[in-house]
Amino acid sequence: VGSFTIENELVQKVPLDADVNNFSAPLNWTKSSSYYESSKWEVSSTGAAAGIGQVRVQLRTNDWSEPTATVLGKNTKGTINKWTADDSWGCSGFTLHDLRMGVKDKDTLFEELEGESTFTTWAVRLLGFLVLWCAFSLCAAPLEVVADCIPFVGPYLGDAIEAIACVVCCCPACACCLGVAGLVWVAMRPMIGIPLMLIFICTMGGMIALKCYSKRKKEEEKKEEEKKEKPLEDVVVMGIPVEKE
């Protein structure tokens, strides 16, 4: 690239977006549109084996009408290698090594790199949230199976439980996702990490409190039912004897 030499890793980033049209087809080959075809190795031209062995090749190259490129890296005696940033707390081994077709200034190049990095980051975050949501939803799968075993209305109950579980599980999945993100950011960017951790703690704490309250309420209801069903022999009836006149 100009007076600089690039490594194979950057060479592979050169797009092959133009067809090779100035290539003369060899013997037994014919040019069809942007392809070169040959029937030299065809098994048979008729019957069930017709077409087997036909070959088609497409030749591609980079667009020589726009041969300029912008390279990012460390210049080592005319060779562009990877530039590695100094290690810092929580980050190590960060490198810059890229090739883009066309002439790009420094600001434009780094804006494109930042945009691509941001897109990848949010895509991974969204994927992680969806995986957590799916995992929590699958915890209710046994309930769906039990409901499906009920005659007549089982499948409908199973579908209803599946839908309800999917909605309910969104909350803990979101809390766990924020908790993981907050744990990563709490030391590096406290203004973001601490609020995320607080949301996670409050959400999970609320769910635990709700579980404990529900359990205690069930125990109280069970005790009330036991009192109502207490046998009569345990009850002492006090009375006054009546004398016969």
Side-chain angles (χ1 to χ4, degrees):
V1 180
S3 58
F4 298 97
T5 302
I6 60 176
E7 298 176 340
N8 186 51
E9 180 180 350
L10 294 182
V11 173
Q12 294 178 356
K13 292 188 175 184
V14 177
L16 303 178
D17 50 7
D19 295 324
V20 177
N21 296 317
N22 57 351
F23 178 75
S24 300
L27 185 63
N28 297 324
W29 288 79
T30 58
K31 188 175 184 305
S32 175
S33 183
S34 59
Y35 297 93
Y36 294 88
E37 300 176 345
S38 176
S39 301
K40 180 179 179 180
W41 297 276
E42 186 176 12
V43 176
S44 176
S45 58
T46 59
I52 298 178
Q54 289 183 351
V55 181
R56 184 172 65 176
V57 178
Q58 184 181 25
L59 303 178
R60 306 278 289 178
T61 184
N62 58 301
D63 189 0
W64 286 103
S65 63
E66 298 181 0
T68 56
T70 301
V71 181
L72 175 64
K74 181 180 179 181
N75 180 17
T76 306
K77 297 181 180 181
T79 301
I80 304 300
N81 301 313
K82 289 182 179 180
W83 177 82
T84 304
D86 296 334
D87 294 343
S88 60
W89 190 90
C91 297
S92 62
F94 178 76
T95 61
L96 287 175
H97 198 217
D98 197 15
L99 180 144
R100 303 293 172 98
M101 298 305 296
V103 178
K104 299 182 183 294
D105 57 64
K106 181 177 64 176
D107 294 335
T108 301
L109 178 59
F110 278 94
E111 285 177 1
E112 291 181 357
L113 292 173
E114 183 179 5
E116 293 174 359
S117 177
T118 301
F119 174 80
T120 303
T121 300
W122 280 102
V124 173
R125 288 172 180 171
L126 179 60
L127 178 62
F129 166 71
L130 294 177
V131 170
L132 285 172
W133 192 359
C134 179
F136 277 102
S137 298
L138 291 176
C139 292
L143 299 178
E144 303 168 19
V145 176
V146 173
D148 287 337
C149 295
I150 300 176
F152 304 111
V153 297
Y156 303 101
L157 291 177
D159 293 341
I161 292 175
E162 181 181 5
I164 294 172
C166 182
V167 175
V168 173
C169 291
C170 180
C171 184
C174 183
C176 288
C177 185
L178 295 178
V180 174
L183 185 63
V184 174
W185 285 107
V186 70
M188 302 180 65
R189 300 181 67 178
M191 298 301 294
I192 297 177
I194 293 177
L196 294 179
M197 289 297 297
L198 290 176
I199 294 174
F200 167 72
I201 294 173
C202 292
T203 304
M204 300 306 293
M207 294 182 63
I208 294 173
L210 180 62
K211 176 65 177 177
C212 294
Y213 172 77
S214 176
K215 183 178 180 180
R216 186 178 62 181
K217 189 175 181 180
K218 288 181 179 179
E219 291 177 352
E220 292 176 354
E221 292 177 351
K222 185 177 180 180
K223 289 180 180 179
E224 291 293 333
E225 291 178 357
E226 290 177 352
K227 288 181 180 179
K228 292 179 180 179
E229 297 176 357
K230 192 172 184 180
L232 294 177
E233 56 267 18
D234 293 341
V235 179
V236 178
V237 180
M238 302 299 293
I240 300 175
V242 179
E243 295 181 0
K244 186 177 180 182
E245 296 181 356

